[in-house]
């Protein structure tokens, strides 16, 4: 009969000691009475500590007090976004114009360069698949024809 009242595990015992579920903070594992231990401090959130975040938060609070919506942006931010958008549009137009201004000669050179690259890749693939003895035999043929030609001359 005594054993039926004992907790099954430490977890159930902890739950019975702290029935308040509203407290989110966890209790530390160290004993508070020991002065030799260094107590941990809560780390600062780098985002909240940054000046830009604080200024933005302050501005949001002021806009909220004035009754302005979040959708209405400050004038500086609107101008900067407008400039960025215009700069991107200008950059895209310049790239398109550069493509259009290529002369037929440059286009033909580009096509030939691409064809040569493609042919080189195909040759490399064929050489990689060839057995080793064929490669050696081709090298032997080249050396034998060169020495035979030298003897004839």
């Amino acid at each position: 009969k005594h054993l039926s009242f004992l907790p099954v595990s430490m977890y159930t015992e902890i739950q019975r000691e702290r029935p308040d579920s509203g407290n989110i903070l966890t209790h530390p594992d160290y004993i508070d009475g020991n002065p030799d231990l260094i107590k941990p401090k809560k780390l600062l959130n780098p985002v909240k500590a940054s000046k830009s975040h604080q200024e933005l938060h302050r501005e949001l609070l002021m806009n909220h007090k004035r009754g302005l919506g979040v959708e209405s942006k400050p004038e500086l931010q609107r101008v900067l976004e407008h400039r960025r958008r215009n700069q991107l549009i200008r950059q895209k137009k310049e790239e398109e114009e550069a493509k259009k201004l290529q002369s037929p000669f440059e286009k033909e050179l580009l096509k030939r360069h691409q064809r040569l690259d493609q042919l080189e890749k195909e040759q490399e693939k064929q050489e990689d698949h060839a057995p080793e003895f064929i490669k050696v035999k081709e090298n032997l043929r080249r050396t034998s024809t060169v020495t035979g030609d030298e003897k004839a001359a």
Side-chain angles (χ1 to χ4, degrees):
K1 292 180 181 178
H2 266 306
L3 297 176
S4 63
F5 294 110
L6 291 176
V8 178
S9 68
M10 281 299 284
Y11 180 71
T12 54
E13 185 176 329
I14 292 172
Q15 279 184 329
R16 286 188 185 144
E17 288 178 5
R18 300 183 196 117
D20 182 24
S21 61
N23 189 1
I24 299 173
L25 298 174
T26 58
H27 294 282
D29 293 338
Y30 57 85
I31 301 171
D32 290 332
N34 193 348
D36 295 335
L37 291 177
I38 300 172
K39 295 181 181 178
K41 295 180 183 178
K42 188 174 181 180
L43 296 175
L44 293 175
N45 186 348
V47 174
K48 289 185 178 181
S50 71
K51 285 279 188 192
S52 61
H53 181 273
Q54 291 173 357
E55 291 170 1
L56 182 63
H57 185 66
R58 199 174 304 122
E59 186 177 340
L60 285 172
L61 287 175
M62 288 181 60
N63 285 344
H64 181 70
K65 286 179 186 176
R66 288 185 201 158
L68 298 175
V70 179
E71 292 83 24
S72 60
K73 297 178 182 176
E75 185 179 354
L76 178 63
Q77 191 174 1
R78 276 184 277 151
V79 170
L80 289 174
E81 286 179 359
H82 184 70
R83 282 185 186 173
R84 266 189 239 122
R85 195 176 322 112
N86 287 342
Q87 187 178 12
L88 285 173
I89 292 170
R90 228 180 292 121
Q91 200 173 26
K92 287 179 183 177
K93 284 182 181 178
E94 288 174 1
E95 289 175 0
E96 289 175 5
E97 289 176 12
K99 288 180 182 177
K100 290 178 183 177
L101 293 178
Q102 280 185 343
S103 68
F105 179 70
E106 289 175 340
K107 289 180 183 177
E108 192 63 33
L109 280 176
L110 184 64
K111 286 180 185 177
R112 286 187 179 194
H113 183 68
Q114 289 173 349
R115 269 190 257 137
L116 285 173
D117 287 342
Q118 188 177 10
L119 288 172
E120 286 177 4
K121 287 178 184 177
E122 289 176 3
Q123 287 177 353
E124 288 176 6
K125 286 180 183 177
Q126 289 174 356
E127 289 176 3
D128 290 342
H129 293 298
E132 186 68 28
F133 71 91
I134 293 176
K135 294 177 187 176
V136 173
K137 190 175 180 182
E138 288 176 359
N139 287 340
L140 287 175
R141 282 184 191 164
R142 289 182 195 150
T143 55
S144 64
T145 56
V146 170
T147 56
D149 291 339
E150 289 174 355
K151 290 178 183 176

